Coordinates of all heavy atoms in Angstrom, one line a residue:
N168 N 2.9 -8.4 23.9 CA 1.8 -9.3 23.7 C 1.1 -9.0 22.4 O 0.8 -7.8 22.1 CB 0.7 -9.1 24.9 CG -0.3 -10.1 24.9 OD1 -0.6 -10.7 23.9 ND2 -0.9 -10.3 26.1
P169 N 0.9 -9.9 21.5 CA 0.4 -9.6 20.2 C -1.0 -9.1 20.2 O -1.3 -8.2 19.4 CB 0.5 -11.0 19.4 CG 1.4 -11.8 20.2 CD 1.4 -11.4 21.6
V170 N -1.8 -9.5 21.2 CA -3.2 -9.0 21.3 C -3.2 -7.6 21.7 O -3.9 -6.7 21.2 CB -4.0 -9.9 22.3 CG1 -5.4 -9.3 22.5 CG2 -4.0 -11.3 21.9
H171 N -2.3 -7.2 22.7 CA -2.1 -5.9 23.1 C -1.6 -4.9 21.9 O -2.1 -3.8 21.8 CB -1.3 -5.7 24.3 CG -1.8 -6.5 25.5 ND1 -0.9 -6.7 26.6 CD2 -3.0 -6.9 25.8 CE1 -1.8 -7.3 27.6 NE2 -2.9 -7.5 27.0
A172 N -0.8 -5.5 21.2 CA -0.2 -4.7 19.9 C -1.3 -4.5 19.0 O -1.5 -3.4 18.4 CB 1.0 -5.4 19.4
A173 N -2.2 -5.5 18.8 CA -3.3 -5.4 17.8 C -4.3 -4.3 18.3 O -4.9 -3.5 17.6 CB -3.9 -6.7 17.6
L174 N -4.6 -4.4 19.6 CA -5.5 -3.4 20.1 C -5.0 -1.9 20.2 O -5.7 -1.0 19.8 CB -5.9 -3.7 21.6 CG -6.7 -5.0 21.8 CD1 -6.9 -5.3 23.3 CD2 -8.1 -4.8 21.2
S175 N -3.6 -1.8 20.2 CA -3.0 -0.5 20.1 C -3.1 0.0 18.7 O -3.3 1.2 18.4 CB -1.6 -0.6 20.5 OG -1.4 -0.9 21.9
L176 N -3.0 -1.0 17.7 CA -3.2 -0.6 16.3 C -4.7 -0.2 16.0 O -4.9 0.7 15.2 CB -2.8 -1.8 15.4 CG -2.7 -1.6 13.9 CD1 -1.7 -0.4 13.6 CD2 -2.3 -2.8 13.2
V177 N -5.6 -0.8 16.6 CA -7.1 -0.4 16.6 C -7.2 1.0 17.0 O -7.8 1.9 16.4 CB -8.0 -1.3 17.3 CG1 -9.3 -0.8 17.4 CG2 -8.0 -2.8 16.6
L178 N -6.6 1.3 18.2 CA -6.6 2.7 18.7 C -6.0 3.7 17.9 O -6.5 4.8 17.6 CB -6.0 2.7 20.1 CG -5.8 4.1 20.8 CD1 -7.2 4.6 21.1 CD2 -5.1 4.0 22.1
S179 N -4.9 3.3 17.2 CA -4.2 4.3 16.3 C -5.1 4.5 15.0 O -5.1 5.6 14.5 CB -2.9 3.7 15.9 OG -3.0 2.5 15.1
F180 N -5.8 3.5 14.5 CA -6.7 3.7 13.4 C -7.9 4.6 13.8 O -8.2 5.5 13.0 CB -7.3 2.4 12.9 CG -6.3 1.5 12.2 CD1 -6.4 0.1 12.2 CD2 -5.2 2.1 11.5 CE1 -5.5 -0.7 11.5 CE2 -4.4 1.3 10.7 CZ -4.5 -0.1 10.7
F181 N -8.4 4.4 15.0 CA -9.5 5.4 15.4 C -9.0 6.8 15.6 O -9.7 7.7 15.1 CB -10.1 4.8 16.8 CG -11.2 4.0 16.7 CD1 -11.1 2.6 16.9 CD2 -12.4 4.3 16.2 CE1 -12.2 1.7 16.8 CE2 -13.5 3.5 16.0 CZ -13.3 2.2 16.3
T182 N -7.8 6.9 16.0 CA -7.3 8.3 16.3 C -6.9 8.9 15.0 O -7.2 10.1 14.8 CB -6.0 8.2 17.2 OG1 -6.3 7.4 18.3 CG2 -5.6 9.5 17.6
A183 N -6.4 8.1 14.1 CA -6.2 8.7 12.7 C -7.5 9.1 12.1 O -7.5 10.1 11.3 CB -5.4 7.7 11.8
A184 N -8.6 8.3 12.2 CA -9.9 8.6 11.6 C -10.3 10.0 12.3 O -10.9 10.8 11.7 CB -10.9 7.6 11.9
G185 N -10.0 10.2 13.6 CA -10.5 11.5 14.2 C -9.7 12.7 13.6 O -10.2 13.7 13.4
I186 N -8.4 12.4 13.3 CA -7.6 13.6 12.6 C -8.1 13.8 11.2 O -8.2 15.0 10.8 CB -6.1 13.1 12.6 CG1 -5.5 13.1 14.1 CG2 -5.3 14.1 11.8 CD1 -4.2 12.6 14.1
W187 N -8.6 12.8 10.5 CA -9.2 13.0 9.2 C -10.5 13.8 9.4 O -10.8 14.6 8.5 CB -9.5 11.6 8.5 CG -8.3 11.0 7.9 CD1 -7.8 9.8 8.3 CD2 -7.6 11.4 6.8 NE1 -6.6 9.5 7.4 CE2 -6.5 10.5 6.5 CE3 -7.7 12.6 5.9 CZ2 -5.7 10.6 5.5 CZ3 -6.7 12.7 4.9 CH2 -5.7 11.8 4.7
M188 N -11.2 13.5 10.4 CA -12.5 14.3 10.7 C -12.1 15.8 11.0 O -12.9 16.7 10.5 CB -13.2 13.7 11.8 CG -13.9 12.3 11.5 SD -15.2 12.4 10.4 CE -16.5 13.2 11.4
I189 N -11.1 16.1 11.7 CA -10.7 17.4 12.0 C -10.3 18.1 10.6 O -10.6 19.3 10.5 CB -9.5 17.5 12.9 CG1 -10.1 17.0 14.3 CG2 -8.9 18.9 13.1 CD1 -8.9 16.8 15.3
L190 N -9.6 17.4 9.8 CA -9.2 17.9 8.4 C -10.4 18.0 7.4 O -10.2 18.2 6.2 CB -8.1 17.2 7.9 CG -6.8 17.2 8.7 CD1 -5.7 16.3 8.3 CD2 -6.3 18.6 8.9
R191 N -11.6 17.6 7.8 CA -12.8 17.7 7.0 C -12.7 16.7 5.8 O -13.2 16.9 4.8 CB -13.1 19.1 6.5 CG -13.3 20.2 7.5 CD -13.5 21.5 6.8 NE -13.8 22.5 8.0 CZ -12.8 23.2 8.6 NH1 -11.6 22.9 8.3 NH2 -13.1 24.1 9.5
A192 N -12.1 15.5 6.0 CA -12.1 14.5 5.2 C -13.0 13.3 5.8 O -12.5 12.3 6.2 CB -10.7 14.0 4.9
E193 N -14.3 13.5 5.8 CA -15.2 12.5 6.5 C -15.2 11.1 5.8 O -15.2 10.1 6.5 CB -16.6 13.1 6.6 CG -16.7 14.3 7.4 CD -16.4 15.6 6.5 OE1 -16.3 15.5 5.4 OE2 -16.4 16.7 7.2
F194 N -15.2 11.2 4.5 CA -15.2 9.8 3.7 C -14.0 9.0 4.0 O -14.1 7.8 4.3 CB -15.2 10.2 2.2 CG -15.3 8.9 1.4 CD1 -16.4 8.1 1.2 CD2 -14.1 8.5 0.8 CE1 -16.4 7.0 0.5 CE2 -14.1 7.3 0.0 CZ -15.2 6.6 -0.1
L195 N -12.8 9.7 4.1 CA -11.5 8.8 4.4 C -11.6 8.4 5.8 O -11.1 7.3 6.0 CB -10.3 9.8 4.2 CG -10.1 10.1 2.7 CD1 -8.9 11.1 2.7 CD2 -9.9 8.9 1.8
A196 N -12.2 9.2 6.8 CA -12.2 8.8 8.1 C -13.2 7.5 8.3 O -12.8 6.5 8.9 CB -12.7 9.9 9.0

């Protein structure tokens, strides 16, 4: 389903932002 795939991409972006926060790169997150 394209909508489910797009929502999974949103989740991956949020999770990548969390990893950036752990690495102390707040601006990139």
